Amino acid sequence: MAANTLSYSESGLRVKAAFYNKKAMVYVEGTDDIIFWEQFFDKQVYKVEDVGGCGNFKSYIQRLNNGEKSFVVAGDLDYSTYKSPICTSKLYVTTYCHSIENMMYCPHNINHAVQRLARDSRIDSIGEIEDFYNRFIAGVENLLILDAANNIYNKGVSILGDSCYRFLDKDNLPEIDSTLVNNFYNSKVGQFEMHEINAVKTILQTEPRPKRLLIKGHFLTEAIRIWINKRVPAVSNKNPQLNGDALYETLVTCHDICDPICKERKHILDQIGEVEQIIDFT
């Protein structure tokens, strides 16, 4: 029986953890999610496993909604905080930000990556990273508004996608090309009602989280990859050129845990603490 299908009976799901000599399973959407979530769950207690995609993932969430308490589901928050909750169970653990990539691309994590790639722990790029984020998010804020509205109101319009590269200034990578953004925005905005756009603007204005945590994480990936590839040779005699896989391997786990702990990590760890109060390990 394939591990990423929902052919398992309820009893089968309950004994699956025992097969791995663990107390409970943590189910995530895809293989890229496993290493990220493993850093938060006690490996002596939990086995993290992907379910093979969005369709199966939703089915596991539904099992939690139906009262199952023998396993955990962990996934991206997305824009769900602005909609009716897709899961009412505390066994559904989510990111504080839109997706795991937003957390992976924390300025401190990027700074640590630059230090390691440059072989120099004295390098401090935090200010430069934050300045870049401010410029980038300001450049695509209107697209963030449309993307959120598209999700909240189920418009079925493709906005951000999984890569920002088409919106970058090819003569000044990885900066945003405002003309490309404006042209795209003008081509899409007519598919939304003004009240929908205004409602999202109001939501974002009252959001306590930085906007870099609200935007789709995948959308940021290419900009972060290029930024690191340019930053390292600018501050050292090293010239690594990370591809997408190498970027993931470099940033998927947090290497510079802040003190006090950041809100992103605390959010996840607090939820896991609640999980351990209600999960059925029998």
Side-chain angles (χ1 to χ4, degrees):
M1 186 180 299
N4 59 3
T5 72
L6 272 177
S7 302
Y8 290 104
S9 64
E10 296 296 338
S11 60
L13 285 170
R14 286 177 176 271
V15 302
K16 192 175 183 185
F19 175 79
Y20 295 106
N21 198 29
K22 308 296 181 184
K23 291 185 177 181
M25 298 296 298
V26 178
Y27 293 109
V28 298
E29 183 173 340
T31 55
D32 285 353
D33 302 311
I34 295 174
I35 295 177
F36 174 85
W37 286 105
E38 280 181 336
Q39 67 185 304
F40 297 103
F41 287 92
D42 185 344
K43 293 180 177 61
Q44 301 301 312
V45 178
Y46 301 96
K47 169 67 176 178
V48 180
E49 182 177 87
D50 78 280
V51 299
C54 181
N56 287 343
F57 189 70
K58 290 179 179 179
S59 297
Y60 277 82
I61 291 174
Q62 186 56 50
R63 291 193 178 209
L64 293 184
N65 283 332
N66 291 341
E68 179 59 43
K69 292 184 178 181
S70 66
F71 60 79
V72 181
V73 176
D76 294 338
L77 180 64
D78 298 326
Y79 294 117
S80 60
T81 188
Y82 309 132
K83 305 166 67 174
S84 298
I86 63 172
C87 187
T88 56
S89 171
K90 290 188 180 297
L91 296 177
Y92 180 47
V93 176
T94 66
T95 54
Y96 177 75
C97 38
H98 185 284
S99 49
I100 67 172
E101 288 80 11
N102 301 78
M103 191 164 171
M104 288 164 54
Y105 305 152
C106 160
H108 293 276
N109 212 23
I110 295 172
N111 184 60
H112 190 83
V114 170
Q115 291 175 339
R116 288 183 294 148
L117 292 166
R119 311 293 196 272
D120 188 346
S121 61
R122 298 169 298 178
I123 295 170
D124 183 357
S125 301
I126 295 293
E128 287 80 1
I129 298 165
E130 291 178 341
D131 287 346
F132 170 70
Y133 265 133
N134 289 338
R135 295 193 303 274
F136 185 94
I137 295 301
V140 299
E141 187 166 359
N142 282 339
L143 301 187
L144 169 60
I145 291 169
L146 291 190
D147 198 60
N150 175 65
N151 190 278
I152 293 169
Y153 296 103
N154 299 311
K155 305 293 288 187
V157 183
S158 178
I159 303 297
L160 291 180
D162 288 334
S163 175
C164 64
Y165 189 77
R166 58 185 166 145
F167 298 115
L168 300 186
D169 183 345
K170 305 311 183 289
D171 295 322
N172 189 26
L173 294 171
E175 301 295 332
I176 289 295
D177 185 322
S178 59
T179 299
L180 293 175
V181 170
N182 290 337
N183 288 343
F184 182 83
Y185 177 84
N186 291 333
S187 74
K188 298 291 185 179
V189 67
Q191 299 180 60
F192 295 83
E193 301 294 331
M194 186 55 63
H195 74 87
E196 295 169 342
I197 293 175
N198 288 337
V200 173
K201 287 181 177 179
T202 299
I203 289 172
L204 296 183
Q205 286 170 356
T206 58
E207 253 287 357
R209 296 172 296 169
K211 288 186 175 64
R212 71 168 182 83
L213 298 181
L214 310 182
I215 200 165
K216 286 181 68 175
H218 279 297
F219 182 76
L220 298 171
T221 297
E222 191 64 6
I224 298 304
R225 185 188 70 82
I226 295 171
W227 192 92
I228 292 174
N229 283 345
K230 293 184 71 172
R231 177 64 177 174
V232 174
V235 295
S236 72
N237 61 358
K238 307 296 182 182
N239 191 25
Q241 292 300 302
L242 301 180
N243 60 22
D245 287 339
L247 181 72
Y248 170 85
E249 292 167 4
T250 301
L251 298 177
V252 65
T253 55
C254 183
H255 295 282
D256 191 7
I257 299 175
C258 298
D259 183 16
I261 191 171
C262 67
K263 290 181 179 179
E264 295 95 310
R265 289 184 67 86
K266 186 176 186 302
H267 176 81
I268 292 174
L269 295 174
D270 284 350
Q271 290 176 92
I272 294 174
E274 294 182 345
V275 161
E276 293 173 348
Q277 299 300 313
I278 62 173
I279 193 168
D280 182 1
F281 286 127
T282 60

